[in-house]
Amino acid sequence: MEEFIFLDDIATADVAIESRGDTLEELFSASARATFDVMVDAGDVQPEVKKTLRLENSEIDGLLFDWLAEIIYLKDLEDMVFCKFDIKIKKDVNYHLDAEIFGEEIDQSRHELRCDVKAITFHLFEVYEKDGKWISRFILDI
């Protein structure tokens, strides 16, 4: 089960998030949903446009960092918000992520825009497995 919570006592000027998943795919999806939940009411976003992403990193925390940085970059580049994340992660020597993400162009007349996420930060960034669940903590620069 993927889930996320906002950690109000960690960062005052930024947004701190803890996300969880039974699998790496659920963790990455929950982290992406949390990132966009900071920016927009995801219930208002339609999965009209599909983008495909491929990423590779030798470390799982590096892959999550790259994943969040890439979807934030796409938001800025394409002026889009995303609501659905279909992710597959494989490991050989490195971790490989293949994802299809779905969303639409920002429409201020329909989307309840909250605040803009500028970047993912390395401050207090962590990814670990505990009791069969994957957990991440990260801070978004807003």
Side-chain angles (χ1 to χ4, degrees):
M1 168 180 38
E2 67 181 61
E3 56 190 37
F4 63 87
I5 58 171
F6 295 105
L7 305 171
D8 297 328
D9 57 340
I10 302 290
T12 54
D14 294 324
V15 177
I17 296 169
E18 180 178 289
S19 55
R20 297 172 177 258
D22 292 333
T23 65
L24 284 171
E25 290 85 357
E26 287 182 0
L27 176 71
F28 278 55
S29 179
S31 299
R33 285 188 315 103
T35 299
F36 280 94
D37 194 60
V38 169
M39 295 183 268
V40 66
D41 180 349
D44 294 338
V45 180
Q46 299 301 311
E48 294 177 356
V49 177
K50 176 176 79 170
K51 300 284 182 184
T52 302
L53 296 176
R54 292 185 149 206
L55 300 170
E56 178 180 345
N57 199 295
S58 61
E59 303 294 329
I60 195 60
D61 56 346
L63 187 65
L64 180 62
F65 189 92
D66 293 348
W67 162 247
L68 295 173
E70 186 69 18
I71 62 176
I72 293 167
Y73 170 75
L74 273 176
K75 178 260 309 173
D76 291 334
L77 179 69
E78 307 275 339
D79 200 28
M80 293 184 68
V81 286
F82 299 97
C83 61
K84 183 179 173 194
F85 308 90
D86 293 333
I87 302 164
K88 291 185 178 35
I89 297 173
K90 296 178 188 169
K91 173 143 179 26
D92 50 31
V93 174
N94 292 323
Y95 287 93
H96 302 269
L97 176 143
D98 289 298
E100 292 180 336
I101 63 174
F102 301 84
E104 65 179 326
E105 286 187 25
I106 295 172
D107 180 348
Q108 292 186 1
S109 68
R110 286 190 318 100
H111 297 130
E112 177 193 326
L113 298 176
R114 296 174 176 157
C115 66
D116 188 37
V117 171
K118 294 184 270 183
I120 177 78
T121 71
F122 282 112
H123 183 64
L124 301 177
F125 188 88
E126 63 181 337
V127 178
Y128 58 95
E129 186 177 18
K130 182 178 178 183
D131 299 327
K133 279 205 180 285
W134 284 96
I135 302 165
S136 70
R137 284 188 170 199
F138 56 93
I139 296 177
L140 300 171
D141 180 17
I142 56 172

